[in-house]
Amino acid sequence: MNSAIDRDADFRARLQQHWEASERGDVDAEHAIYAADAILDYPQSGERFRGRSRIQAQRGGHPAERHFTILRLLGGGDLWVSECVITYDGVPTHSVSVMEINDGLVTHETQYFADPFDAPPGRAALAEPIPPRGR
């Protein structure tokens, strides 16, 4: 049991380092978390990137100024989820990243993106604002 807890703590730290490397634009450190044959899926665009080098190449060529705010890291064992806000050229996009892990490396990531939208006025009496999160 203790080794599973240690593995989870180690991967959580590596996942945090992955997002910190993403924020500072360190593409080598950002992609060190991926297995050489990892797969990255973007369901909204229907794209699949196969292999760490292709994943890194497509992210490294992104033309926008990007910033990452991590809201939550959840997981254990072979499944981890990151909830974050990625800001592209000053415009925030909410993102959920689902990572499958094998031998301490990401083997499959599915990343979902959602743009913010205005709430319908008819729900105003039922809702309350979400408190600010992040750093």
Side-chain angles (χ1 to χ4, degrees), residues 56-80:
Q56 183 172 340
Q58 69 87 20
R59 286 184 176 152
H62 202 288
E65 179 182 329
R66 299 180 305 161
H67 294 284
F68 297 81
T69 301
I70 305 310
L71 303 176
R72 283 193 289 187
L73 301 177
L74 302 170
D78 62 357
L79 186 64
W80 287 81

Side-chain angles (χ1 to χ4, degrees), residues 104-123:
L105 294 171
V106 175
T107 56
H108 191 175
E109 178 181 15
T110 303
Q111 198 165 15
Y112 300 93
F113 301 93
D115 292 330
F117 58 88
D118 291 329
R123 296 195 310 227

Side-chain angles (χ1 to χ4, degrees), residues 16 19 68-74 81-86 93-96 130-135:
Q16 183 69 41
W19 290 114
F68 297 81
T69 301
I70 305 310
L71 303 176
R72 283 193 289 187
L73 301 177
L74 302 170
V81 176
S82 302
E83 180 184 352
C84 56
V85 175
I86 305 174
T93 297
H94 294 265
S95 176
V96 173
I130 297 173
R133 298 189 301 183
R135 2 177 214 217

